[in-house]
């Protein structure tokens, strides 16, 4: 029964990862196409209106982050409730701020998850291994997310195959 439960929970996590990835894509789309975003100077970002939970996506591009300040920020009824932190990219790249952001966000009490920036022209299995080697998920962490933003001209069939290999390997 325990083995069956593990298999079921892994499948649920895999499905959640796929849906989380789709959600991030939807957020990106709404960010650039929808009109229901409000820019709060205090946050320095546009925030979708009419949502109860808000999160951020961070990487080395944001430099050093004051996570205690992020945790305490509140404008009207909007707070940052979670963060997805870039861990890896491609086959061998680790985000230069991953460890710092991972541990400091946790110390600040912000729920966090890690993501991998997928390069469509690289092996999905090797990219998954890069992610697995770097990220140690613990109870309470958000499930991992695969960030596929560009195809780099890779045919759709090959992209699907490599994404599937990534997901199967991380599962």
């Amino acid at each position: 029964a325990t083995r069956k439960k593990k298999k079921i929970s892994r499948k649920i996590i895999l499905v959640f990862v796929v849906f989380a990835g789709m959600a991030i894509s939807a957020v990106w789309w709404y960010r650039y196409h929808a009109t229901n975003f409000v820019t709060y100077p205090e946050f320095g970002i546009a925030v979708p209106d009419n949502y109860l939970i808000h999160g951020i996506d961070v990487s080395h591009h944001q430099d050093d982050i004051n996570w205690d300040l992020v945790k305490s920020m509140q404008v009207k009824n909007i707070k940052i409730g979670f963060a997805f932190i870039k861990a890896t990219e491609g086959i061998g790249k680790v985000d230069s701020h991953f460890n710092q952001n991972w541990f400091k966000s946790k110390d600040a009490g912000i729920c966090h998850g890690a993501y991998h920036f997928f390069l469509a022209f690289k092996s999905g299995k090797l990219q998954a291994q890069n992610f697995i080697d770097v990220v140690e998920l613990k109870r309470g962490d958000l499930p991992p997310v695969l960030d596929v933003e560009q195809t780099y001209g890779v045919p759709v069939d090959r992209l699907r195959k490599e994404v599937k290999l990534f997901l199967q390997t991380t599962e």
Side-chain angles (χ1 to χ4, degrees), residues 28-47:
W28 176 87
W29 187 89
Y30 278 108
R31 169 85 167 96
Y32 293 101
H33 296 93
T35 57
N36 62 338
F37 274 74
V38 178
T39 300
Y40 295 95
E42 300 89 345
F43 287 119
I45 56 174
V47 177

Side-chain angles (χ1 to χ4, degrees), residues 9 12-14 16-17 20 81-85 87 98-99 101-115 131-132 134-145:
S9 67
I12 291 169
I13 289 171
L14 176 61
F16 185 85
V17 169
F82 65 91
F84 274 102
I85 300 167
F98 174 68
N99 282 327
N101 285 332
W102 188 251
F103 293 109
K104 288 188 176 187
S105 63
K106 182 175 180 150
D107 289 346
I110 296 174
C111 184
H112 64 201
Y115 74 90
F131 184 81
I132 291 164
V134 171
V135 179
E136 184 181 339
L137 296 173
K138 299 202 171 158
R139 182 178 213 91
D141 293 338
L142 295 170
V145 170

Side-chain angles (χ1 to χ4, degrees), residues 5 15 21 26 55 75 78 91-92 123 127 140 161 163:
K5 273 187 178 180
V15 169
V75 178
I78 296 176
I91 292 174
S123 161
Q127 290 186 73
K161 176 187 167 211
V163 165

Side-chain angles (χ1 to χ4, degrees), residues 119-121 148-156 159:
L119 298 178
F121 53 90
V148 181
E149 293 187 16
Q150 300 176 30
T151 64
Y152 302 96
V154 171
V156 173
L159 175 63

Side-chain angles (χ1 to χ4, degrees), residues 43-60:
F43 287 119
I45 56 174
V47 177
D49 201 14
N50 298 323
Y51 288 90
L52 298 175
I53 300 172
H54 296 86
I56 55 174
D57 157 5
V58 300
S59 69
H60 67 277

